[in-house]
């Protein structure tokens, strides 16, 4: 029995109410901010808002932290530590939520996220700082999967696009304010306060969301079914995918012949892990859930890998300041939220598949248009316009893949499938970024680390071909995503 089902004691009252007069006027459907869902919606959106603010603010403070801790040589590991531990935590959170409900992994994840921030903010050495980032990654991986399970359990199907659109909208303000606020705090108070200050804000979403999750989405999907044991094989595969991703990131940073050894070891760990953790048929874009999971990776990987090179291209080829180059992408936060809002409109639900196909074409065109600024006669604002359209397409696709995942997943599989979606997203980011970075370096460009942060030490005379060899292949990958988008519905 769920929290939304009537208790036996309520049955007589419900029977008596049958003869009661119907309320006058039409009964309007309740939205995500209606009385039933208001506290839950505000609470979980606040969690996403804090994660977004952390992602944008910490990246700004990270170079200063690494310099003060004498850890410039270990700079990239501060990012890869977060990524590798989050991949493992995603799988663990999926199993935990499917068997016990999303409340415990969400609470544990938020707590670990805050503890990691405090550990990094008080670190006396770079390795301690990296350890804090690893704890953050564990928390982030637990939280993101648990949130998807909360949505699948607590919200009816017609409200899920709306709450996912709210998630996208919660990134708009942090994407603009986060770097500016973090820069100001770093300059006037010190970089440590960027890390130490965020955990204080966690109290509000915890106090608001956790009681509602306990009421509406706690416990296993079927309380009467026996609780299955944890799948140890999947946990081992999760360790494999984390270690494999870490080795590939390390190899991509070294760029010498000896780096082929960790690269080969990483691939040997990744291939069986990916095959075991993603739905069967994902690699061939099987119709339905496999295509949804693959599309998430194709879209996120191609777009984020290309986006990582945009500020570098504007700084090295057009002479813009790093601040202005970064702000050229700020409008994308608003159009991303707009795209997510558009896909949430009920009248567009029957047309979701062609809408996603068109959105991926838009993403491909925006990536292909960005290197036009390599021609000096092309205005630099061309990139901002192109990226705004690309972010609109991404807003449509990312939210739609989440909606379809929940629609195609049985309640008891929501956690595992949500973990698969996030693994596809995160793993494709690092693989495509590593491939683009290797091609970029091979043609005389600078370097980009595995956390999607443009390296500040790139040569100021990068050859335009080094950028072209990144953007055009990523545009081709995004265009292939348009074909995958045509296979997301089961026949």
């Amino acid at each position: 029995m769920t929290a939304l089902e009537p208790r036996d004691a309520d049955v007589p009252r419900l029977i008596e109410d049958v003869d009661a007069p119907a309320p006058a006027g039409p009964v309007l459907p309740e939205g995500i901010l209606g009385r039933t869902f208001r506290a839950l919606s505000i609470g979980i959106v606040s969690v996403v808002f804090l994660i977004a603010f952390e992602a944008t603010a910490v990246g700004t403070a990270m170079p200063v932290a690494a310099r003060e801790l004498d850890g410039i040589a270990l700079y990239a590991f501060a990012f890869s530590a977060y990524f590798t531990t989050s991949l493992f935590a995603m799988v663990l959170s999926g199993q935990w939520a499917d068997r016990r409900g999303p409340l415990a992994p969400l609470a544990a994840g938020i707590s670990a996220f805050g503890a990691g921030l405090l550990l990094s903010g008080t670190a006396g050495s770079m390795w301690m700082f990296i350890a804090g980032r690893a704890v953050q990654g564990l928390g982030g991986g637990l939280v993101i999967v648990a949130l998807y399970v909360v949505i699948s359990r607590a919200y009816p199907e017609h409200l899920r696009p709306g709450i996912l659109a709210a998630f996208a909208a919660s990134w708009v303000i942090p994407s603009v304010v986060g770097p500016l606020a973090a820069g100001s705090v770093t300059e006037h108070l010190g970089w440590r306060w960027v890390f130490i200050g965020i955990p204080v804000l966690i109290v509000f979403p915890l106090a608001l969301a956790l009681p509602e999750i306990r009421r509406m989405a706690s416990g296993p999907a079927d309380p009467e079914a026996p609780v299955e044991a944890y799948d140890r094989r999947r946990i081992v595969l999760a360790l494999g995918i984390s270690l494999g991703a870490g080795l590939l990131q390390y190899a991509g940073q070294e760029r010498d012949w000896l780096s082929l050894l960790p690269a080969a070891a990483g691939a040997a760990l990744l291939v069986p892990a990916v095959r075991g953790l993603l739905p069967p048929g994902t690699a061939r874009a099987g119709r339905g859930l496999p295509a949804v999971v693959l599309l998430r990776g194709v879209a996120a990987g191609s777009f984020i890998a290309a986006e990582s090179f945009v500020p570098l291209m504007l700084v090295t080829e057009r002479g813009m300041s790093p601040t202005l180059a970064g702000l050229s992408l700020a409008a994308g936060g608003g159009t991303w939220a707009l795209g997510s809002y558009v896909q949430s409109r009920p009248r567009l639900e029957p047309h979701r598949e062609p809408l996603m196909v068109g959105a991926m074409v838009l993403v491909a065109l925006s990536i292909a248009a960005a290197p036009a600024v390599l021609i000096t006669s092309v205005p630099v604002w061309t990139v901002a316009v192109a990226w705004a359209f690309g972010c609109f397409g991404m807003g449509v696709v990312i939210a739609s893949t989440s909606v379809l995942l929940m629609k195609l997943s049985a309640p008891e599989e929501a956690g595992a499938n949500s973990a698969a979606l996030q693994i596809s997203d995160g793993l494709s980011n690092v693989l495509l970024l590593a491939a683009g970075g290797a091609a970029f370096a091979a043609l005389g460009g600078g370097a980009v680390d595995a956390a999607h942060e443009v390296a500040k030490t790139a040569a100021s005379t990068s050859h335009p071909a080094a950028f072209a060899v990144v953007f055009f292949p990523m545009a081709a990958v995004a265009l292939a995503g348009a074909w995958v988008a045509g296979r997301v519905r089961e026949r």
Side-chain angles (χ1 to χ4, degrees):
M1 178 180 293
T2 68
L4 298 181
E5 292 175 345
R7 300 183 300 273
D8 291 341
D10 294 330
V11 172
R13 179 179 57 82
L14 292 174
I15 294 175
E16 293 172 2
D17 289 345
V18 171
D19 297 328
V27 178
L28 298 177
E30 190 173 12
I32 61 172
L33 292 179
R35 185 176 61 180
T36 302
F37 302 102
R38 185 182 300 126
L40 177 61
S41 297
I42 294 175
I44 63 177
V45 169
S46 297
V47 171
V48 176
F49 180 89
L50 288 176
I51 292 175
F53 187 82
E54 183 275 341
T56 56
V58 167
T60 302
M62 195 79 75
V64 180
R67 185 174 65 248
E68 290 192 7
L69 294 172
D70 296 322
I72 295 296
L74 302 173
Y75 181 76
F77 289 100
F79 292 99
S80 60
Y82 183 101
F83 177 79
T84 53
T85 56
S86 66
L87 281 176
F88 170 74
M90 289 172 188
V91 177
L92 178 62
S93 182
Q95 293 209 33
W96 195 352
D98 282 342
R99 286 157 178 77
R100 303 292 182 181
L103 180 63
L106 183 61
I110 293 176
S111 301
F113 192 78
L117 283 167
L118 291 175
L119 185 59
S120 292
T122 57
S125 67
M126 191 61 182
W127 281 115
M128 185 63 68
F129 183 88
I130 292 171
R133 293 288 292 167
V135 175
Q136 264 189 269
L138 285 172
L142 289 171
V143 168
I144 190 64
V145 172
L147 283 177
Y148 276 87
V149 177
V150 169
I151 294 173
S152 69
R153 296 269 190 94
Y155 292 87
E157 185 175 328
H158 71 279
L159 290 182
R160 293 171 188 167
I163 191 64
L164 290 170
F167 277 13
S170 67
W171 278 81
V172 176
I173 295 177
S175 66
V176 178
V177 176
L180 299 176
S184 179
V185 171
T186 300
E187 182 179 348
H188 294 95
L189 298 177
W191 63 268
R192 294 183 184 275
W193 286 101
V194 175
F195 292 84
I196 296 174
I198 294 177
V200 178
L201 304 177
I202 294 178
V203 176
F204 171 74
L206 276 176
L208 196 60
L210 294 186
E212 294 301 308
I213 295 172
R214 184 185 301 276
R215 181 175 67 88
M216 303 176 68
S218 63
D222 185 357
E224 297 182 359
V227 178
E228 297 182 5
Y230 284 86
D231 190 337
R232 295 183 180 179
R233 176 178 173 274
R234 289 184 66 86
I235 294 177
V236 171
L237 291 176
L239 287 172
I241 204 171
S242 296
L243 291 175
L247 288 171
L248 284 178
Q249 290 176 78
Y250 173 79
Q253 294 164 25
E254 293 301 311
R255 295 188 179 92
D256 57 34
W257 288 107
L258 291 178
S259 67
L260 292 177
L261 295 177
L269 288 170
L270 272 180
V271 172
V274 170
R275 289 175 60 89
L277 293 173
L278 300 186
T282 299
R284 55 180 175 81
R287 287 196 174 276
L289 184 62
V292 170
V293 172
L294 178 61
L295 177 60
R296 179 62 162 261
V298 168
S302 60
F303 191 77
I304 299 302
E307 185 178 60
S308 298
F309 287 87
V310 170
L312 181 62
M313 179 173 62
L314 294 176
V315 169
T316 61
E317 301 300 319
R318 297 303 296 266
M320 295 181 67
S321 69
T323 300
L324 288 177
L327 288 176
S328 67
L329 304 178
T335 57
W336 190 305
L338 179 61
S340 186
Y341 169 80
V342 167
Q343 65 79 37
S344 71
R345 297 300 84 198
R347 64 178 178 274
L348 292 179
E349 177 59 34
H351 311 290
R352 185 175 295 278
E353 182 177 327
L355 182 66
M356 295 172 70
V357 172
M360 284 308 302
V361 172
L362 196 61
V363 170
L365 291 175
S366 72
I367 296 174
V373 296
L374 294 171
I375 304 171
T376 56
S377 60
V378 176
V380 292
W381 51 259
T382 302
V383 169
V385 174
W387 226 248
F389 280 100
C391 285
F392 176 86
M394 287 294 291
V396 171
V397 172
I398 297 301
S400 291
T401 52
S402 300
V403 170
L404 289 174
L405 177 99
M406 296 173 194
K407 185 176 182 178
L408 296 172
S409 300
E412 66 274 9
E413 298 175 346
N417 290 342
S418 296
L421 191 75
Q422 297 303 322
I423 289 172
S424 177
D425 187 318
L427 188 60
S428 65
N429 284 348
V430 71
L431 293 180
L432 289 178
L433 183 63
F440 184 68
L443 290 183
V448 174
D449 69 58
H452 310 154
E453 291 292 323
V454 178
K456 304 300 186 293
T457 58
S460 61
T461 56
S462 299
H463 195 281
F467 289 100
V469 80
V470 173
F471 284 96
F472 292 133
M474 295 305 162
V477 173
L479 192 60
W483 173 77
V484 178
R487 300 175 59 82
V488 296
R489 288 198 182 274
E490 295 177 326
R491 297 300 187 208

